[in-house]
């Protein structure tokens, strides 16, 4: 769901040893900028070290909302039926092929034979049925429960065939089933996946040093074990951007996808013999989320005033060092069906002040809760200033990620928050009852239901365009920008994604040149 990147706190952990390791990296980085690269610099004699900004709170993506979970487990430990390619298309994984009926309400998946879970249990149609029914069950914590609750019946005519009957047609089902929330779990071990995930993937959990790192080792029992080129991978949690840069320059980290290194790009690009730099588009949406259940934020005039106070270009510069594309609704420019809504509620401070006066909301005091991410901490300061300039009184409250998940996302205890939603297929959250935005609009729900009920591509496209415009006109949130993610890695590492359709680190594709 959400992608956090911490700029001001060391996510290496609260322990003194972790801070010491960061300081060592900072010192080594000074030396690293002048020393020559060693002949074997491309393939260090240790585990491959991947940098991550935040540590996942657990390792079960079917019960946790943090995108950091998928960054570790998706395609590595836990696998879905399908896999998202860099172009966003769905490719076979645990399913080798699929067929769909003309009305898109019946999908038949043929499963890969001979697959086993890490604990030796067989992967089969019964495991798929269990996983999907678990995700759809009342009380399920799966953030994509709506995908699975759309399944009205699951038939398993034989161990390698699964037939899904849907209430509403879903042309994107193979892609939806490629996400972390759709991983297939082993029934007897599923309850323990948050600590010890049991999947069918090429890696197993070897060690988790809370607050510092998490290590995976290649699983010898994997169906294609000979194809795995990296036998051991360590995810190292480094939250402070300066420490991220230092660890890369010192050679302590081999690759850092989605690194907060925009201000250090010149250093890396100047050393092509040591580093490769990849700038990738994303399907993420950075927004100023608004709690509609807090009066008077349910008043569309107040929300439009907030939206019109936001100078997107200035926010992109402050929040993402210029690495972003403005958006006017909840869809990114490279997504299928995108409609440009940036002219709706565009930056007009004078009009914003007039709307506040009309709503009798001048002087309204609001709290802006900022999670520990660089885009939030940097962009939040500017957003508060822009909102204050139209007559609001914004108080910034900086909170930790666990607090954000529990108080903002879980308990809706906030007025405003700045956050990036990273899933490519989450537009339906506007129709999701009880979602943390608190947006409740029967007109949108009816429109979205009509779109989902149609199997005609042209009709769906027209209704999707109408839905994008509606959430923009309603100013459901302050729609800000599509982030452009930066990856910095050793020059000899191959197989890194050059596009980011969703948040994952596919370790099976990596190798040293």
């Amino acid at each position: 769901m959400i992608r956090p990147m911490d700029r001001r706190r060391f996510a290496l952990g609260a322990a003194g040893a972790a801070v010491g390791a960061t300081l060592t990296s900072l010192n080594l980085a000074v030396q690293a900028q002048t020393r020559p690269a060693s002949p074997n610099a491309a393939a260090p004699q240790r585990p491959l070290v991947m940098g991550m900004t935040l540590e996942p709170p657990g390792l079960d993506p079917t019960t946790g909302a943090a995108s950091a979970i998928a960054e570790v487990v998706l395609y590595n430990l836990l696998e879905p039926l399908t896999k998202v390619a860099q172009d966003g298309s769905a490719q076979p994984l645990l399913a080798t092929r699929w067929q769909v009926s003309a009305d898109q309400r019946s999908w038949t998946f043929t499963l890969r034979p001979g697959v086993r879970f890490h604990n030796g249990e067989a992967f089969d149609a019964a495991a798929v049925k269990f996983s999907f029914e678990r995700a759809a069950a009342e009380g399920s914590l799966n953030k994509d429960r709506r995908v699975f609750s759309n399944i009205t019946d699951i038939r398993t005519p034989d161990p390698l065939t699964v037939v899904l009957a849907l209430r509403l047609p879903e042309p994107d089902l193979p892609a939806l089933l490629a996400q972390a929330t759709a991983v297939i779990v082993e029934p007897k071990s599923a309850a323990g996946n948050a600590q010890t995930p049991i999947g069918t993937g090429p890696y197993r959990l070897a060690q988790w040093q809370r607050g510092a790192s998490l290590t995976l080792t290649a699983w010898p029992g994997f169906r294609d074990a000979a194809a795995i080129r990296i036998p051991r991978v360590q995810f190292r949690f480094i939250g402070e951007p300066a420490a991220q840069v230092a660890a890369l320059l010192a050679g302590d980290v081999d690759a850092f996808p989605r690194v907060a290194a925009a201000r250090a790009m010149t250093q890396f690009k100047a050393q092509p013999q040591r580093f490769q730099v990849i700038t990738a588009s994303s399907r993420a949406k950075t927004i100023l989320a608004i709690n509609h259940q807090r009066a008077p934020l349910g008043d569309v005039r107040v929300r439009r005033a907030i939206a019109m106070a936001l100078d997107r270009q200035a926010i992109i510069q402050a929040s993402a060092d210029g690495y972003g594309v403005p958006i006017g609704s909840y869809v990114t420019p490279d997504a299928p069906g995108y409609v440009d809504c940036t002219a709706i509620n565009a930056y007009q401070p004078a009009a914003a002040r007039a709307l506040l006066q009309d709503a009798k909301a001048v002087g309204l005091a609001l709290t802006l809760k900022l999670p520990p991410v660089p885009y939030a901490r940097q962009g939040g300061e500017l957003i508060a200033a822009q909102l204050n300039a139209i007559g609001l009184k914004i108080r910034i409250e900086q909170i930790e990620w666990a607090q954000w998940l529990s108080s903002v996302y879980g308990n809706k205890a906030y007025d405003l928050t700045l956050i990036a939603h990273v899933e490519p297929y989450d537009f339906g959250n506007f129709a999701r009852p009880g979602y943390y935005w608190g947006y409740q609009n029967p007109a949108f729900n009816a429109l979205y239901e009509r779109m989902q009920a149609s199997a005609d591509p042209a009709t769906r496209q027209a209704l999707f365009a109408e839905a994008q415009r509606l959430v923009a006109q309603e100013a459901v949130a302050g729609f800000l920008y599509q982030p452009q993610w930066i990856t910095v890695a050793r020059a000899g590492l191959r197989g890194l994604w050059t596009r980011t359709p969703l948040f994952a680190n596919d370790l099976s594709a990596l190798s040293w040149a």
Side-chain angles (χ1 to χ4, degrees), residues 48-68:
L48 171 73
V49 179
M50 300 278 288
M52 275 182 61
T53 298
L54 284 188
E55 180 175 18
L59 297 176
D60 185 355
T62 70
T63 61
S67 64

Side-chain angles (χ1 to χ4, degrees), residues 80-306:
L81 294 184
T82 57
K83 187 175 189 176
V84 169
Q86 289 195 52
D87 63 1
S89 64
Q91 305 295 323
L93 191 57
L94 289 179
T96 59
R97 62 182 183 273
W98 51 87
Q99 296 176 308
V100 61
S101 62
D103 64 1
Q104 297 173 4
R105 283 184 166 90
S106 179
W107 290 80
T108 302
F109 291 86
T110 301
L111 307 184
R112 189 177 299 277
V115 175
R116 291 197 172 272
F117 288 94
H118 297 152
N119 62 358
E121 295 292 329
F123 160 77
D124 55 16
V128 176
K129 180 179 173 69
F130 170 83
S131 299
F132 290 175
E133 289 180 343
R134 174 175 176 260
E138 288 293 333
S140 167
L141 298 177
N142 194 305
K143 64 186 179 185
D144 287 334
R145 181 175 175 267
R146 64 180 181 82
V147 172
F148 305 98
S149 61
N150 188 38
I151 302 172
T152 59
D153 184 56
I154 303 176
R155 292 193 296 111
T156 56
D158 61 67
L160 295 179
T161 305
V162 175
V163 182
L164 304 179
L166 307 185
R167 181 178 68 88
L168 298 172
E170 182 49 84
D172 293 324
L173 186 65
L176 291 169
L177 295 183
Q179 299 185 105
T181 49
V183 295
I184 307 304
V185 299
E186 195 279 306
K188 291 192 291 293
S189 62
N193 278 348
Q195 306 303 319
T196 310
I198 300 296
T200 56
Y203 289 87
R204 297 189 67 174
L205 177 66
Q207 185 183 38
W208 189 356
Q209 292 182 302
R210 301 278 182 163
S213 66
L214 185 150
T215 303
L216 308 181
T217 54
W219 176 41
F222 183 61
R223 58 187 177 271
D224 193 13
I228 306 306
R229 304 300 182 188
I230 307 293
R232 193 171 178 87
V233 180
Q234 182 183 85
F235 290 94
R236 193 171 297 174
F237 310 122
I238 307 175
E240 168 63 35
Q244 294 177 4
V245 170
L248 284 163
L249 290 171
D252 295 338
V253 170
D254 301 309
F256 211 127
R258 299 167 289 277
V259 65
R263 297 177 183 180
M265 292 285 275
T266 302
Q267 297 179 70
F268 295 115
K269 288 184 175 180
Q271 303 180 67
Q273 76 283 3
R274 290 190 63 206
F275 299 108
Q276 55 182 308
V277 178
I278 301 168
T279 303
S281 64
S282 74
R283 295 285 288 276
K285 293 82 56 179
T286 304
I287 67 170
L288 180 67
I290 301 172
N291 187 350
H292 291 231
Q293 301 305 305
R294 292 283 184 96
L297 298 176
D299 187 329
V300 69
R301 295 171 297 179
V302 176
R303 297 197 306 273
R304 284 176 179 160
I306 290 172

Side-chain angles (χ1 to χ4, degrees), residues 225 343 401:
W401 183 235

